[in-house]
Amino acid sequence: MNLRRIAIPLGILVLCFAAWRAMGWQGLFAVGGGLLMWALLHFTRLMNVMSKAAKRPVGHVGSAVMLNAKLREGVNLMYVVALTRSLGQPLTPEGTDPERYRWTDGTQSHVTCEFRGGRLAQWELVRPAPDAAPVAVADPADGPR
C-alpha cells in the first residue's frame, strides 16, 4: 500500500487538530488558508506545465540524450512532462499499469519511460545506428596545412 495515501491526509488531520487545540477557530482557519494556498500553488504549477506542453508536438523533446541524463527513478509523470515540455507518446493502452511513454528528438533518438504507480520506474535511451557513409580522414603524411 502506498504510504503517501495515508500519511498526507493523516498529517493534515493532525495539523488541523493541533491548530484547533492551540487557537480554536482562528487556528483552524489559518491552517485551512495555508492548505488552500498549498493546493492553489500545485494547481498553478500543473496548469503552467500543461499549457507549455500543449504548445509542442506530442512525444517530441529537444534532446533525448539530455532528457536521459536528467531523469531519475521515482519522479512523477508531471516532472517528466515539465522537463520535456511535451506530453509523451503513449505506448500502452490507457489505464494500464505500468504506463509507457516515449519522447523522440530530431535525430530519431528516443527515451522510453515506464511509470509504475505514477512514478518513474525505469527508462531506456535508444540512439539510431550511425550511417555507414565513410568519413573523410586526413592523411597524416600530407602534413599540416
Side-chain angles (χ1 to χ4, degrees):
M1 179 179 264
N2 192 350
L3 187 61
R4 288 182 191 205
R5 291 186 179 193
I6 297 171
I8 291 176
L10 187 62
I12 291 172
L13 287 175
V14 168
L15 188 62
C16 288
F17 179 74
W20 171 262
R21 293 282 297 176
M23 298 178 59
W25 286 106
Q26 292 174 343
L28 200 57
F29 286 142
V31 168
L35 291 173
L36 179 65
M37 184 60 124
W38 177 72
L40 288 174
L41 285 172
H42 282 282
F43 180 76
T44 301
R45 179 168 185 255
L46 176 67
M47 289 297 108
N48 283 333
V49 167
M50 294 312 252
S51 68
K52 289 177 185 176
K55 296 175 186 174
R56 304 262 313 254
V58 172
H60 181 75
V61 66
S63 172
V65 175
M66 290 303 295
L67 173 61
N68 181 56
K70 290 180 182 180
L71 290 176
R72 62 182 191 271
E73 191 172 339
V75 298
N76 60 15
L77 181 59
M78 188 177 81
Y79 177 83
V80 178
V81 170
L83 277 178
T84 62
R85 295 188 187 104
S86 170
L87 296 174
Q89 177 186 4
L91 301 177
T92 55
E94 186 176 334
T96 60
D97 196 36
E99 297 175 303
R100 293 175 56 89
Y101 295 96
R102 177 175 289 163
W103 285 270
T104 307
D105 66 8
T107 65
Q108 298 309 310
S109 298
H110 62 268
V111 176
T112 304
C113 298
E114 184 174 300
F115 295 87
R116 289 190 194 115
R119 299 285 175 179
L120 183 61
Q122 63 185 24
W123 64 96
E124 177 187 14
L125 170 67
V126 176
R127 300 178 84 177
D131 292 339
V135 177
V137 178
D139 187 12
D142 288 341
R145 294 184 185 204

